[in-house]
Structure formats: structure tokens, C-alpha cells
Amino acid sequence: VRPLHARTLVGIPEIRPGDDLAAFIDAAAAPGGLMAGDVLAIAHTAVSKSEGALVELGSVHPSARARELAEQQGKDPRLVQVVLDESDEVLRAERGVLISRTRHGLVCANAGVDASNSGGRETVVLLPRDPDASARALRRRLRELAEVHDHQGAPAVVITDTFGRPWRLGQTDVAIGLAGLIPFDDWRGRRDAEGQELRATVLAVADAVAGLVDLAREKDSREPVVLVSGLERFVTEDDGPGARALVRPPDEDLFR
Amino acid sequence: VRPLHARTLVGIPEIRPGDDLAAFIDAAAAPGGLMAGDVLAIAHTAVSKSEGALVELGSVHPSARARELAEQQGKDPRLVQVVLDESDEVLRAERGVLISRTRHGLVCANAGVDASNSGGRETVVLLPRDPDASARALRRRLRELAEVHDHQGAPAVVITDTFGRPWRLGQTDVAIGLAGLIPFDDWRGRRDAEGQELRATVLAVADAVAGLVDLAREKDSREPVVLVSGLERFVTEDDGPGARALVRPPDEDLFR
């Protein structure tokens, strides 16, 4: 196994709607450039901003339900309305946090709506409308740029968000969008050197890669992209099933 | 921020009770040796075996409750008895999996009892009795060895296990024992370049480091130790609060 190496890409500017994020990434990765077996882990806020997935709170008219929840939880009713708009179902409202299942099926706080990192106090950042499609589009564009520059191909793309965990304190980054990286490494049925079946383990490789974003960069550094090498064995030519495959179907949720 | 670099340590033999695991690690890290700011992520099975945290199933006499649960879940009643012995509370028994809160407060499948990786079909591996104490002891011993060899000090130690997640498919490694690495990187109250408060984020750094174990090694390679550099900013001279700090207190568990 090759050693794993991760570094933040320096010099990506604050992203605005319509920006060509892939071109900024391609430029920031020079002169080494991006290799076909590399993996890019990208904080979703950069992707959301480039896609214009932003809401001006001044344009939001909170419903009666949003105003009620906001009062209970001590939140801005306009922000609560945006969270409701992004949610299929609110699972909990407690201690100032709304936990919901988003339109993508993700269970997380505030439906992934981010009131910081937005470049303005009255603007919030949503999750990308379809994060797997965003990852595929970024990979496609990176492949185009690689051909122009005669680089060695397009890396895999992992789009991340920071989620809490029910039984553990603190948050970790997980994969919400994915292209070209296998979501799982399935070890079931493989046998060890003594022929004994290994523990039923399906490693969530894409989430482990997403966790690297926390480690390789400083959170306030405005460096939303981490370049990882040494994971070639998990990278595929096809874009694959995406991060949607990591979402546990509600009927398999052990905790409902 | 320094780039992050992770590699498996090659040449650590199958561990047996009483083995000096730290000495094997120290030898495997040569000639580069271990640096004071390095982090060692160690799969708990190696630690458990060195501490003799093993149970011969032939010596186990299953209780009536163990026999009943085993029949319901299609499991070996002796294994179920070991899981019960390791559990403070069984939270769920479903689809062949017992989810319990261990004596350490960890919520996981089968109380962390591992029927593979044990070096024999009739032996199971438990979690270390006190994984934070195990991590401190390993770090202390590594420091002693560093002094003997005139290395540059002892690295931080993270002991890992592979856990499932309620809302997401697949498993990831988390920190169950910790010495010399901060469990959290607390960003609350920090402000971005525009003076706006960053999202209330407390990164579970130790769990993100544990996740590297999945990425840096092959699961069947019998290489239980991954050496990580580039995380000096999270490493402390003191051993710190340990991985116990990552366990959400039951009264803060949003899902009970």
C-alpha cells in the first residue's frame, strides 16, 4: 500500500455564484497537477456557492410553523423556514437544533443550512441540490481541463459536510457527494491468513476520506479543497453509485 | 499547515499475551524512528491481545438469557454470554446484531467483542479493559524506548475500533483510547475574515485520525499500526482527557 498524503490546495479565492470551481482547483494544484488516481475532498460550501445555492434571508417569509419552531428553539424564523424548505421531515427539535432528513435523505442538523461561511450575515448557504451530480460535473470539468493542460487525468471528487453523531460528541466530515471513489470497501467473506472469515466489515471509505478535510486544513483558512494521494485502489474510471449509497434507508434505521 | 502523511508500519508480528507491543512498534518505525509530534493509530485487537483481553469460548457457560438471545439472533450462546459480560446495557437485539453500551460507555455492536482476528476459531478478542489507560501505557513505554535509542520523543497514541453508524451504511474507525492527542478541535466563537462567527463546530479530531486506519492499511494485512505525521498542532505533551471525552453522556443522547 502506498503511503497516504494529503495537502490543502492554496490560493482558491472566495467562491461566488457562477464561478468555475474546477478551474480554480486545477490552477491551485499546479505545478504538480492532478493525477488520475488522486482524490479531491471539497467542503460543500464552495460547491454550493459556485452553484448559487444561497438564500437571502430578507427574501424569506416564515410560515406559522416556522415562527412557532423558531420561538421554541430561540432561532431566526426566516432561517427555520429555509431549514423546513430543505427538509423532507423534521425528526427532532431540541436544544436549539433542528434535526431533519433532507431532500437527499441525509439526517443532519438544520438540514445542512449553513449560516456562517456565507460571506454575509443575511445570506445562508444550502447543500447542493444534487451533491452526487455536482461531484460528477466537477470531475467531468476537471477531466476537460486535464486534457487541455495535458495533465494525467481527472481525480475522484468527494464533496463533504460536517455532521454530528448521536452517541459521540463532536462532529466529523462525511461524504455527501461522490464521483469516481468507491463508497465502501467490502471485506465480508474475505479470509485471513489462517482461513478464518474476517469480521463482517464494510468500510465506509468515502466517509473516512471526508474526515481528512478536518485534519489537513485549518477550518477558518478558507481552503475548501484537500488533495489526497495514495488511495488509487479506491478510485474508479466510472463515477460509480455516488454518496447516496452511504445513506441508510429509513426502514433499516435501527433508531427510529 | 504541514501536509498530512500516513503509512502503515511493516513487520509487526502477530501479537500474543504479554508481548511488548510498544517495542514492536518502535522497531517497525526504524530507521526513521518516531517523532514527538507523530500520531500512532493502533487497531485495538493488537492492544487487547498484548494485554491478554481474550476469552476461550470453551470456558464460557451461557446463562438462560444468553441462550435465549442467541436463539433469537442466530448466534453462538457462548459468544452472546461474553457480549453480555462486556455490556452495561443491551440497547437493541435485531437482525443478528446486539447493540449495547459497554462498560466504557461505548455504544457499539456486540460490545466490541471480535470473533475474527483472534488467531483461533474458539477465541474471541475483547476491548481493552481501560483503553485510555492502555494508550497512556503505550505512550509511556514508547517514551522510555525513545530515550534508550535517542529518538526524538514519544508520539501520541490513538487506539481504534470499527463502529457502525445509525443513519449511514458501512463502518468507520473511531478512537476508543487516547493519549497525547486532543479529542476535539473547538472552533466555537472563532470569527472568519469578515468578523462573522463561524458555525458552532467542535471537530472530533481523534475520530478523524482513527478513520485513517481504514485508508492507510489493507484490512487483512495484519498491519495494525499506522504512523501519521503532520498533526503536530493536535499533539500535547500531557496525555489529556482520553477518548472517554468523546462519549456522549446518555442524558445528552438525542436518540433514546
XYZ file of all heavy atoms in Angstrom, chain A residues 156-194:
307
model
N -10.742 11.608 -8.477
C -12.065 11.398 -7.883
C -12.442 12.635 -7.069
O -11.571 13.379 -6.620
C -12.054 10.161 -6.990
N -13.760 12.842 -6.893
C -14.260 14.015 -6.170
C -15.166 13.567 -5.019
O -16.081 12.764 -5.229
C -15.036 14.954 -7.121
C -15.740 16.058 -6.341
C -14.096 15.551 -8.167
N -14.877 14.080 -3.818
C -15.714 13.842 -2.636
C -16.170 15.200 -2.117
O -15.329 16.040 -1.780
C -14.928 13.132 -1.511
C -15.837 12.830 -0.321
C -14.271 11.856 -2.020
N -17.471 15.434 -2.070
C -17.999 16.675 -1.503
C -18.433 16.376 -0.069
O -19.119 15.379 0.182
C -19.178 17.206 -2.339
C -18.688 17.512 -3.770
C -19.798 18.447 -1.690
C -19.794 17.922 -4.722
N -17.999 17.215 0.879
C -18.178 16.896 2.302
C -19.079 17.897 3.022
O -19.222 19.044 2.610
C -16.816 16.877 3.033
O -16.357 18.226 3.220
C -15.775 16.091 2.265
N -19.678 17.434 4.100
C -20.298 18.331 5.079
C -19.969 17.797 6.473
O -19.565 16.652 6.630
C -21.814 18.434 4.874
C -22.429 19.611 5.642
O -21.677 20.457 6.167
O -23.667 19.677 5.734
N -20.128 18.670 7.472
C -19.744 18.358 8.837
C -20.998 17.959 9.613
O -21.908 18.771 9.755
C -19.081 19.594 9.479
O -18.062 20.074 8.602
C -18.473 19.257 10.826
N -21.050 16.708 10.086
C -22.245 16.185 10.751
C -21.923 15.797 12.200
O -20.816 15.353 12.502
C -22.725 14.909 10.046
C -23.485 15.132 8.768
C -23.554 16.370 8.159
C -24.141 14.061 8.167
C -24.265 16.547 6.972
C -24.846 14.237 6.980
C -24.912 15.470 6.389
N -22.927 15.896 13.070
C -22.820 15.333 14.415
C -23.119 13.844 14.408
O -23.528 13.283 13.397
N -22.910 13.218 15.558
C -23.162 11.785 15.708
C -24.012 11.575 16.957
O -23.752 12.216 17.984
C -21.838 11.026 15.884
C -20.891 11.100 14.700
C -19.871 12.220 14.751
N -19.129 12.331 15.994
C -18.001 11.659 16.251
N -17.496 10.854 15.358
N -17.365 11.827 17.398
N -24.980 10.659 16.925
C -25.891 10.534 18.064
C -25.221 10.094 19.360
O -25.641 10.505 20.431
C -26.925 9.510 17.593
C -26.382 8.890 16.354
C -25.415 9.853 15.774
N -24.198 9.263 19.284
C -23.627 8.687 20.516
C -22.286 9.272 20.878
O -21.698 8.907 21.881
C -23.424 7.181 20.349
C -24.669 6.440 20.130
C -25.839 6.606 20.806
C -24.889 5.407 19.180
N -26.761 5.720 20.330
C -26.201 4.974 19.335
C -24.079 4.801 18.218
C -26.742 3.969 18.568
C -24.618 3.795 17.457
C -25.937 3.387 17.632
N -21.752 10.102 19.991
C -20.415 10.622 20.239
C -20.451 12.139 20.143
O -21.172 12.706 19.335
C -19.409 10.035 19.249
C -19.256 8.524 19.452
C -18.300 7.876 18.499
N -16.899 8.167 18.719
C -16.157 7.640 19.692
N -16.683 6.811 20.561
N -14.884 7.945 19.806
N -19.653 12.787 20.972
C -19.576 14.235 20.951
C -18.681 14.683 19.800
O -17.853 13.926 19.304
C -19.042 14.741 22.293
C -19.953 14.456 23.494
C -19.246 14.788 24.808
C -21.250 15.250 23.393
N -18.853 15.928 19.405
C -18.056 16.459 18.314
C -18.609 16.039 16.972
O -19.542 15.239 16.871
N -18.064 16.630 15.949
C -18.544 16.409 14.590
C -17.413 15.896 13.713
O -16.236 16.106 14.009
C -19.088 17.732 14.036
C -20.312 18.214 14.805
C -20.606 19.672 14.543
O -19.818 20.545 14.891
N -21.728 19.939 13.921
N -17.779 15.229 12.648
C -16.791 14.804 11.657
C -17.359 15.093 10.269
O -18.565 15.226 10.097
C -16.479 13.295 11.746
O -17.682 12.552 11.612
C -15.820 12.946 13.075
N -16.472 15.191 9.288
C -16.931 15.377 7.924
C -17.331 14.040 7.325
O -16.674 13.025 7.562
C -15.832 16.038 7.086
C -15.941 17.545 7.137
O -15.826 18.102 8.244
O -16.181 18.161 6.108
N -18.414 14.049 6.564
C -18.847 12.851 5.845
C -19.024 13.220 4.373
O -19.094 14.403 4.012
C -20.164 12.270 6.401
C -20.009 11.879 7.867
C -21.319 13.230 6.222
N -19.108 12.187 3.542
C -19.262 12.382 2.096
C -20.728 12.571 1.759
O -21.554 11.709 2.058
C -18.712 11.167 1.352
N -21.081 13.715 1.157
C -22.466 13.914 0.710
C -22.573 13.858 -0.816
O -23.668 13.718 -1.344
C -23.078 15.225 1.251
C -22.353 16.452 0.706
C -23.091 15.230 2.784
C -23.110 17.760 0.939
N -21.450 13.971 -1.506
C -21.426 13.836 -2.964
C -20.163 13.109 -3.374
O -19.122 13.260 -2.720
N -20.241 12.316 -4.440
C -19.136 11.402 -4.724
C -19.109 11.085 -6.216
O -20.148 10.796 -6.807
C -19.399 10.115 -3.939
C -18.257 9.204 -3.543
C -17.225 9.977 -2.731
C -18.802 8.047 -2.709
N -17.902 11.134 -6.822
C -17.734 10.673 -8.211
C -16.351 10.061 -8.350
O -15.349 10.719 -8.088
C -17.895 11.839 -9.186
N -16.309 8.778 -8.702
C -15.039 8.133 -9.006
C -14.331 7.520 -7.819
O -13.225 6.990 -7.974
N -14.944 7.567 -6.641
C -14.379 6.901 -5.460
C -15.409 5.871 -4.997
O -16.611 6.183 -4.931
C -14.136 7.911 -4.342
C -13.428 7.367 -3.086
C -11.918 7.291 -3.321
C -13.712 8.231 -1.869
N -14.963 4.653 -4.667
C -15.934 3.678 -4.178
C -16.411 4.133 -2.800
O -15.619 4.590 -1.974
C -15.345 2.246 -4.114
C -14.122 2.167 -3.211
C -14.990 1.745 -5.513
C -13.664 0.743 -2.935
N -17.740 4.056 -2.539
C -18.216 4.467 -1.215
C -17.787 3.492 -0.117
O -17.514 3.904 1.009
C -19.744 4.510 -1.357
C -20.076 3.817 -2.639
C -18.846 3.754 -3.481
N -17.729 2.201 -0.469
C -17.446 1.155 0.528
C -16.293 0.273 0.071
O -16.123 0.044 -1.121
C -18.663 0.222 0.688
C -19.922 0.921 1.052
C -20.957 1.032 0.134
C -20.081 1.476 2.313
C -22.133 1.678 0.466
C -21.249 2.127 2.648
C -22.277 2.233 1.726
N -15.572 -0.262 1.043
C -14.629 -1.335 0.784
C -15.178 -2.551 1.539
O -15.188 -2.577 2.769
C -13.237 -0.935 1.292
C -12.156 -1.903 0.839
O -12.380 -2.641 -0.143
O -11.088 -1.928 1.467
N -15.681 -3.510 0.785
C -16.439 -4.619 1.381
C -15.523 -5.812 1.654
O -15.005 -6.438 0.737
C -17.561 -5.020 0.411
C -18.548 -5.971 1.055
O -18.218 -6.593 2.085
O -19.667 -6.083 0.516
N -15.339 -6.083 2.939
C -14.440 -7.167 3.345
C -15.180 -8.431 3.732
O -14.562 -9.394 4.175
C -13.582 -6.710 4.533
C -12.516 -5.776 4.098
C -12.605 -4.418 4.033
C -11.222 -6.129 3.602
N -11.435 -3.891 3.541
C -10.568 -4.925 3.284
C -10.551 -7.335 3.415
C -9.277 -4.906 2.776
C -9.266 -7.306 2.917
C -8.637 -6.099 2.598
N -16.493 -8.444 3.590
C -17.229 -9.633 4.018
C -16.812 -10.845 3.190
O -16.691 -10.755 1.973
C -18.737 -9.400 3.904
C -19.255 -8.422 4.935
C -20.691 -8.068 4.669
N -20.829 -7.451 3.349
C -21.968 -7.025 2.839
N -23.071 -7.160 3.533
N -22.003 -6.483 1.649
N -16.612 -11.938 3.865
C -16.287 -13.175 3.167
C -14.810 -13.365 2.899
O -14.375 -14.465 2.594
N -14.010 -12.298 3.017
C -12.569 -12.480 2.829
C -12.016 -13.223 4.039
O -12.514 -13.111 5.148
C -11.868 -11.121 2.703
C -12.354 -10.355 1.485
C -11.435 -9.199 1.165
N -12.143 -8.195 0.387
C -11.604 -7.051 -0.016
N -10.358 -6.765 0.287
N -12.302 -6.179 -0.711
N -10.980 -13.967 3.813
C -10.436 -14.798 4.884
C -9.034 -14.341 5.261
O -8.299 -13.837 4.418
C -10.438 -16.271 4.458
C -11.842 -16.802 4.451
C -12.031 -18.156 3.853
N -13.467 -18.359 3.671
C -14.303 -18.675 4.668
N -13.842 -18.865 5.892
N -15.586 -18.805 4.449
N -8.719 -14.502 6.535
C -7.388 -14.092 6.975
C -6.386 -15.202 6.657
O -6.705 -16.214 6.037
C -7.394 -13.703 8.455
C -7.611 -14.882 9.377
O -7.521 -16.041 8.920
O -7.868 -14.642 10.566
N -5.134 -15.003 7.093
C -4.052 -15.920 6.738
C -4.320 -17.333 7.255
O -3.766 -18.301 6.735
C -2.732 -15.389 7.291
N -5.186 -17.463 8.272
C -5.485 -18.796 8.802
C -6.794 -19.352 8.234
O -7.292 -20.365 8.706
C -5.570 -18.752 10.335
C -4.197 -18.564 10.968
C -4.266 -18.153 12.424
O -5.364 -18.212 13.019
O -3.226 -17.779 12.964
